[in-house]
Amino acid sequence: MAPRPVWKGQIRLSLVSIPVEIFSATTSGASVSFRQIHRESGKRVRNQKIVPGIGPVDGDEIVKGYETSKGEYVLLSDEEIDDIKLETKKTFELVQFVDSHSIPPLYFDKPYYVVPQDDLSEDAFRVVRDALRSAKKTGLGQLTLRGKEYLCALRPCGNGLLLETLHYEEEIRKSKTIFEDISDDPPEEDLLDVATALIEKKSGPFDAGAYTNHYTDALKTLIAAKRKSGGKAVETEDDDDEAEAKGGKGRGASDLMASLKKSLEGDGGSGTRERKSQSSSSKRGSASRSTSKARGRSKSTKKKSA
């Protein structure tokens, strides 16, 4: 099924307006989501809107309220909110251009693909795309999406454009109070040299396909196993993470240098190859551990019987 656009409107650059469609660039389909189920009946649990002292209420009886002080609200109806017309309602106007690398990564929120609505708008679309690419600039503007006004960045992406919603400045938590307990003292030169060499050794082109969401894979495996067994629980044991966490405490500078040098001298090759082999290795390791535990339990049973 072809994806549906989340927004239709126009990009405006001065006197030029380009009809476009915006599609979400990410999907939640790969993740595992759950429903709340009543254990006894097997039916889904439904959430009701409840007013204390009154009970369940219908949706048309509910209005939005903004809390001005403890227990006091300014009430607004959906009609009153809808009556507020924003200039960016169906227009994304490019009001400023900045160097593409000048926006700090923590401002980026969610990406969207932008395409021309039809053949007539494609020529102007390609002109803006290629002009941004040539100038190595990113366009900034605001648009309204799902009732909210977003600050957005627009830049080239393949044959199309990528629009990314940005956090407003007041939404960014200042790092000073978070990092204030970290010393400003520079690290030892020899440690820095070895760490830098290790980073260079493991450097390579970005490949998102080399990474696997092991938690999601484990959930899917568990669900498939329970479904196959008619709902019977599948128990797994893995203390590797706990052991690793305990073993990592109390490391000094000498231990750090030894670990860095050992990593640098290893024959692991590029980081990408290591990551691609992690998934299959961990699966083989899990299977081996399970087999070993089963054999151990079998031997113990035989001894007891004897």
Side-chain angles (χ1 to χ4, degrees):
M1 181 182 295
R4 297 178 60 183
V6 299
W7 187 88
K8 285 186 178 183
Q10 55 187 5
I11 295 175
R12 181 182 296 165
L13 175 58
S14 188
L15 299 178
V16 178
S17 295
I18 308 170
V20 297
E21 296 178 338
I22 295 179
F23 298 84
S24 179
T26 59
T27 177
S28 59
S31 61
V32 177
S33 59
F34 296 100
R35 302 286 190 184
Q36 291 183 323
I37 306 297
H38 182 230
R39 185 189 298 275
E40 300 301 325
S41 66
K43 295 181 179 180
R44 280 187 56 188
V45 176
R46 304 288 182 177
N47 294 325
Q48 287 185 310
K49 303 292 185 181
I50 304 292
V51 177
I54 298 177
V57 296
D58 295 331
D60 57 6
E61 299 178 71
I62 301 174
V63 295
K64 292 180 172 65
Y66 178 82
E67 189 171 15
T68 56
S69 60
K70 186 65 175 179
E72 294 187 2
Y73 300 85
V74 173
L75 303 183
L76 299 172
S77 67
D78 291 339
E79 291 76 15
E80 289 174 319
I81 295 175
D82 290 340
D83 283 342
I84 300 175
K85 302 298 182 182
L86 299 176
E87 186 179 350
T88 54
K89 199 82 173 181
K90 284 296 180 182
T91 300
F92 176 53
E93 183 170 3
L94 298 174
V95 297
Q96 184 187 8
F97 297 92
V98 300
D99 292 336
S100 294
H101 58 78
S102 65
I103 305 175
L106 61 89
Y107 277 85
F108 290 101
D109 183 22
K110 184 173 175 59
Y112 295 87
Y113 294 132
V114 183
V115 300
Q117 280 192 26
D118 48 45
D119 293 340
L120 293 176
S121 57
E122 185 176 317
D123 287 343
F125 180 91
R126 288 189 289 108
V127 169
V128 172
R129 179 201 64 194
D130 291 350
L132 287 171
R133 180 176 286 129
S134 176
K136 297 181 180 180
K137 297 289 185 180
T138 292
L140 298 179
Q142 292 174 284
L143 65 78
T144 299
L145 184 64
R146 300 190 184 96
K148 295 183 179 180
E149 187 176 51
Y150 292 89
L151 174 63
C152 298
L154 187 73
R155 58 190 176 92
C157 177
N159 288 335
L161 291 168
L162 184 70
L163 182 142
E164 295 173 275
T165 57
L166 305 176
H167 293 290
Y168 286 99
E169 185 178 14
E170 60 266 24
E171 296 175 330
I172 301 298
R173 179 178 294 172
K174 303 303 180 184
S175 63
K176 184 177 180 180
T177 57
I178 307 296
F179 297 153
E180 61 184 358
D181 291 335
I182 302 176
S183 173
D184 290 334
D185 297 338
E188 296 178 15
E189 281 294 329
D190 53 349
L191 284 172
L192 185 60
D193 291 342
V194 176
T196 302
L198 179 59
I199 290 173
E200 291 177 351
K201 179 181 179 181
K202 288 182 171 291
S203 294
F206 175 68
D207 179 13
Y211 298 86
T212 301
N213 189 331
H214 298 97
Y215 177 71
T216 298
D217 286 350
L219 276 178
K220 289 180 178 179
T221 300
L222 175 62
I223 292 169
K226 292 198 70 172
R227 185 178 182 184
K228 185 177 180 180
S229 63
K232 185 177 180 180
V234 178
E235 295 182 0
T236 60
E237 295 179 6
D238 191 350
D239 298 327
D240 289 352
D241 291 342
E242 183 178 352
E244 183 177 344
K246 291 180 179 178
K249 294 181 179 179
R251 287 190 174 185
S254 59
D255 292 333
L256 176 59
M257 174 63 84
S259 297
L260 288 171
K261 285 185 175 180
K262 186 176 180 181
S263 299
L264 190 59
E265 295 168 0
D267 59 351
S270 69
T272 299
R273 289 199 301 272
E274 292 175 1
R275 288 189 296 271
K276 284 185 175 179
S277 64
Q278 280 178 355
S279 180
S280 58
S281 297
S282 62
K283 290 178 180 178
R284 290 194 299 270
S286 297
S288 177
R289 285 195 297 272
S290 299
T291 303
S292 299
K293 289 176 182 178
R295 289 174 179 171
R297 288 194 294 269
S298 176
K299 289 180 180 179
S300 176
T301 302
K302 289 180 179 179
K303 287 181 180 180
K304 290 181 179 179
S305 299

